[in-house]
Amino acid sequence: MKIQNKQIEPLFKVLNYNMKFALARQRDKFLKELVENNDDFLKNQTKIKEALAKKGKDGNPVIEDNRYQFTDANEKKCVEELNVLANEEFEINVLEDRVIKDMIQNSTAEFALGETALIDELFNTKADKKEKEVKSKTDKVLNKKTKK
């Protein structure tokens, strides 16, 4: 399954529910790899922020109120680079996509505005779109045959 870095947090949230043991074991295999990718994502976010932040006299990034401080130009550059990082994809292949999608569909998690769109993107892959197109064409052909 191809996943973007920005989808990691909502995936943790949507898959955090009680399920039968066998399914939970499968989920945990998936989450283990997700955690590893999340660690890399967070480290890269920190590297970008530290590289572009204002530096103090000691050469370390300036942090005020738990926030890195930037020049206007570097703040814009930081936002751009963080967006690129958030949209980077990685792949997890420990389970079939349909198993993960079934788990997501059965979730009882509650989401804030906008969070569901990130999960919905997982369902709108090129393969899913192609499958829907083929099904639609098949349905049209079958409907024509039944009308005759």
Side-chain angles (χ1 to χ4, degrees):
M1 172 176 276
K2 286 187 178 183
I3 300 166
Q4 292 178 316
N5 285 325
K6 65 183 177 184
Q7 294 170 317
I8 295 173
E9 190 175 323
L11 272 170
F12 281 129
K13 188 174 182 178
V14 76
L15 294 173
N16 185 21
Y17 66 95
N18 293 331
M19 54 184 74
K20 297 195 183 245
F21 181 74
L23 195 57
R25 287 183 61 227
Q26 291 181 332
R27 176 205 49 207
D28 292 350
K29 286 180 191 177
F30 177 79
L31 290 178
K32 181 180 177 188
E33 289 205 25
L34 201 61
V35 165
E36 291 171 9
N37 283 284
N38 191 51
D39 289 346
D40 290 341
F41 176 50
L42 296 174
K43 286 176 188 172
N44 287 327
Q45 280 182 322
T46 301
K47 286 179 184 178
I48 290 168
K49 290 175 185 177
E50 287 180 349
L52 296 171
K54 291 180 184 177
K55 304 295 189 277
K57 292 178 183 176
D58 60 0
N60 291 321
V62 175
I63 300 173
E64 293 175 9
D65 297 325
N66 292 321
R67 297 184 60 136
Y68 289 94
Q69 300 300 304
F70 302 95
T71 63
D72 290 341
N74 276 0
E75 185 169 20
K76 183 178 178 184
K77 187 174 181 180
C78 183
V79 168
E80 290 169 358
E81 289 195 30
L82 290 173
N83 282 333
V84 168
L85 178 64
N87 287 303
E88 282 182 5
E89 288 185 333
F90 59 93
E91 200 158 348
I92 296 180
N93 293 314
V94 294
L95 297 175
E96 293 179 29
D97 290 359
R98 68 170 178 76
V99 174
I100 298 299
K101 289 178 180 181
D102 286 346
M103 287 183 206
I104 291 169
Q105 291 291 350
N106 292 321
S107 178
T108 57
E110 295 180 11
F111 287 91
L113 183 64
E115 285 181 318
T116 55
L118 294 172
I119 297 298
D120 283 342
E121 289 176 13
L122 290 172
F123 292 98
N124 294 323
T125 63
K126 290 179 183 175
D128 291 336
K129 289 176 186 175
K130 185 71 174 170
E131 184 179 316
K132 288 176 187 175
E133 287 174 17
V134 169
K135 184 179 180 334
S136 176
K137 288 177 183 176
T138 304
D139 289 345
K140 286 178 185 178
V141 169
L142 291 174
N143 286 336
K144 285 181 183 179
K145 287 183 179 179
T146 57
K147 288 181 182 180
K148 290 182 180 179

